[in-house]
């Protein structure tokens, strides 16, 4: 059976050029980067070269880039540091964050007596900036604002500069989960008022199990993971050498082809939205599809019926990979916390389709034809 993969917000296939870059570090250049002999020095050089590449692309200083196991560890580290090192006793977040953030801030609230506030959302899923200002102005403690750059389920994009400048006004720490945008969106971190961002290579055709945490050079924190002096005494554990090299290569390729790929992928996304509107009565879209929205994500709501309740299952058995929300919760019966927060309509079934440079309009046509049968 032909497989159509429309779940690229969950993970993307590894680019062959990235694999080719990683392979020597799996075989010949396998030394421990902490070792002082030549094999170790060669590995260390690979890591530091990768760090410089990532820093240059994001317009950051190499000393601000730390390699981690992925977005979840990076978010945990940033939130933990804001509380324990930077004096934040109040967290402001949103109910549509990724669970890597939601569960972490809820843990801090329940176990460490950190005050937790949820910023209001507008009907289209964007953050209510006036409510964010109110929460910051009323806070008697130093606040951490943790808001994602692009939502992984509906694709809405946050104005990093607007939020960051508001945080500066109230001396708040700003962490943004940028897992969906690093590798998909141009960054200029030296001119962006943010203290922490994070990324994960597998979202842009890199390897799984490796990510970054950007820590602004004006912020001084202590390690979250203890046990060694790796990552300049910031993140203990033997470095994921070939993953780090793969991260840098994948980011390099994504940046070089950004204009071409983003325009192409957005064309696929908009084409599918148009086709769904033409052929599926009652279809709707969650988030700000034709406004401030990430070009890879399309979240559609279909009328609920006996047939559509089994929609994801039926798509799967027909070789179509899509998601009911975040892949991290796609196997749960509870459904999407994001959709519940912005459009809690019991008569709708939400499906996230997310695209990469590998997808085609022909695939969209086949999926739409299948949806006409299934709904």
């Amino acid at each position: 059976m032909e497989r159509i993969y429309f779940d690229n917000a969950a993970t993307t296939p590894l680019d062959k050029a990235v694999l080719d870059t990683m392979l020597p570090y799996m075989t010949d250049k396998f030394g421990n980067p902490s070792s002082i002999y030549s094999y170790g020095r060669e590995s260390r050089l690979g890591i530091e070269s990768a760090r410089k590449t990532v820093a240059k692309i994001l317009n950051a200083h190499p000393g601000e880039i730390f390699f981690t196991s992925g977005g979840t560890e990076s978010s945990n580290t940033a939130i933990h540091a804001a509380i324990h090192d930077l004096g934040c006793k109040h967290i402001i977040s949103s109910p549509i964050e990724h669970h890597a953030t939601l569960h972490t801030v809820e843990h801090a609230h329940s176990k460490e007596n950190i005050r937790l506030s949820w910023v209001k959302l507008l009907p289209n899923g964007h953050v209510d900036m006036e409510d964010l200002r109110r929460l910051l102005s009323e806070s008697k403690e130093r606040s951490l604002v943790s808001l994602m750059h692009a939502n992984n389920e509906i694709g809405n994009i946050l104005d990093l500069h607007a939020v960051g400048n508001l945080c500066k006004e109230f001396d708040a720490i700003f962490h943004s989960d940028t897992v969906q945008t690093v590798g998909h969106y141009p960054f200029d971190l030296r001119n962006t008022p943010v203290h922490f961002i994070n990324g994960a290579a597998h979202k842009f055709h890199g390897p799984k199990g490796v990510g970054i945490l950007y820590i602004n050079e004006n912020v001084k924190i202590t390690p979250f993971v203890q046990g060694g002096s790796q990552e300049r005494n910031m993140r203990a554990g033997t470095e994921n050498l070939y993953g780090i090299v793969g991260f840098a290569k994948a980011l390099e390729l994504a940046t070089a082809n950004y204009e071409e790929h983003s325009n192409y992928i957005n064309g696929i996304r908009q084409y599918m939205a148009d086709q769904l509107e033409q052929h599926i009565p009652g279809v709707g879209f969650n988030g700000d599809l034709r406004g401030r929205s990430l070009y890879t994500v399309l979240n559609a709501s279909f009328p609920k019926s006996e047939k559509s309740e089994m929609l994801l299952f039926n798509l799967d058995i027909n070789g179509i990979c899509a998601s009911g929300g975040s892949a991290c919760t796609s196997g749960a019966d509870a459904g999407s916390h994001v959709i519940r927060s912005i459009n809690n309509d019991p008569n709708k079934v939400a499906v996230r389709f997310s695209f990469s440079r590998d997808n085609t309009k022909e695939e969209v046509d086949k999926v739409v034809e299948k949806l006409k049968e299934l709904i």
Side-chain angles (χ1 to χ4, degrees):
M1 181 190 301
E2 177 190 8
R3 184 180 69 183
I4 297 176
Y5 186 74
F6 279 178
D7 201 22
N8 290 277
T11 197
T12 53
L14 185 67
D15 190 300
K16 185 173 186 308
V18 175
L19 177 60
D20 290 342
T21 301
M22 294 167 61
L23 279 173
Y25 292 90
M26 298 177 175
T27 53
D28 301 329
K29 302 178 182 181
F30 59 84
N32 190 314
S34 297
S35 301
I36 61 171
Y37 44 73
S38 61
Y39 276 7
R41 294 196 304 272
E42 195 172 44
S43 297
R44 171 58 55 193
L45 179 61
I47 289 174
E48 296 312 319
S49 295
R51 195 186 314 279
K52 289 177 182 176
T53 296
V54 172
K56 182 178 180 181
I57 290 170
L58 300 179
N59 197 24
H61 189 276
E64 297 174 308
I65 302 298
F66 297 88
F67 293 108
T68 68
S69 64
T72 297
E73 182 193 327
S74 296
S75 287
N76 272 260
T77 302
I79 293 165
H80 182 271
I83 295 167
H84 295 278
D85 300 319
L86 305 176
C88 295
K89 302 300 181 187
H90 177 210
I91 297 174
I92 301 170
S93 192
S94 88
I96 62 171
E97 299 299 301
H98 190 280
H99 282 132
T101 294
L102 282 182
H103 290 172
T104 306
V105 300
E106 287 167 350
H107 177 85
H109 173 62
S110 64
K111 302 296 184 182
E112 302 189 56
N113 202 31
I114 301 298
R115 194 157 71 89
L116 177 59
S117 299
W118 302 116
V119 69
K120 291 178 183 176
L121 300 173
L122 301 174
N124 61 6
H126 284 300
V127 168
D128 185 332
M129 293 296 292
E130 287 304 312
D131 191 54
L132 179 58
R133 172 177 284 279
R134 178 188 66 80
L135 289 170
L136 284 166
S137 66
E138 293 177 357
S139 182
K140 294 180 173 59
E141 311 97 338
R142 191 180 201 190
S143 297
L144 163 67
V145 173
S146 185
L147 296 170
M148 67 201 312
H149 189 199
N151 188 273
N152 55 304
E153 295 193 28
I154 59 175
N156 281 20
I157 290 184
L158 182 77
D159 186 335
L160 288 182
H161 287 269
V163 174
N165 287 327
L166 198 55
C167 289
K168 283 175 68 175
E169 184 179 338
F170 292 97
D171 188 33
I173 296 297
F174 180 28
H175 160 246
S176 186
D177 171 0
T178 55
V179 163
Q180 290 293 334
T181 48
V182 168
H184 290 284
Y185 187 88
F187 280 84
D188 180 5
L189 290 175
R190 289 188 185 176
N191 297 297
T192 304
V194 66
H195 298 96
F196 303 99
I197 72 160
N198 43 293
H202 72 105
K203 302 296 186 180
F204 49 94
H205 303 281
K208 294 176 177 62
V210 62
I212 59 161
L213 173 63
Y214 160 83
I215 305 173
N216 185 279
E217 61 185 352
N218 296 314
V219 170
K220 305 303 176 190
I221 71 171
T222 55
F224 177 59
V225 178
Q226 305 289 334
S229 60
Q230 294 90 346
E231 284 303 284
R232 302 189 316 286
N233 293 303
M234 187 54 68
R235 195 266 185 188
T238 301
E239 297 92 337
N240 178 0
L241 173 59
Y242 41 83
I244 289 169
V245 171
F247 185 109
K249 184 63 176 180
L251 186 60
E252 194 174 29
L253 292 172
T255 303
N257 297 297
Y258 167 71
E259 290 291 340
E260 176 189 351
H261 288 166
S262 61
N263 288 331
Y264 174 79
I265 296 166
N266 191 51
I268 296 290
R269 180 179 75 132
Q270 296 295 348
Y271 177 73
M272 184 163 191
D274 293 343
Q275 292 301 303
L276 289 174
E277 286 180 323
Q278 287 181 33
H279 298 289
I280 308 293
V283 71
F285 302 105
N286 298 301
D288 190 14
L289 171 63
R290 294 182 173 92
R292 283 189 290 124
S293 186
L294 186 62
Y295 61 89
T296 57
V297 173
L298 174 66
N299 195 301
S301 281
F302 299 100
K304 192 171 186 178
S305 66
E306 287 186 10
K307 293 173 72 175
S308 66
E309 282 189 290
M310 296 290 290
L311 188 55
L312 282 177
F313 175 77
N314 286 323
L315 286 172
D316 181 35
I317 63 175
N318 283 280
I320 299 166
C321 302
S323 172
S326 165
C328 303
T329 57
S330 58
D333 293 330
S336 163
H337 67 286
V338 174
I339 302 303
R340 286 201 306 274
S341 296
I342 65 167
N343 182 23
N344 196 17
D345 186 344
N347 297 311
K348 295 282 189 178
V349 176
V351 178
R352 179 187 71 180
F353 303 98
S354 51
F355 311 97
S356 81
R357 68 203 185 193
D358 299 325
N359 294 125
T360 65
K361 288 184 177 179
E362 289 74 23
E363 288 180 319
V364 170
D365 291 338
K366 290 176 183 177
V367 171
V368 172
E369 282 301 311
K370 185 56 63 176
L371 286 168
K372 287 163 66 176
E373 295 176 22
L374 297 175
I375 294 175

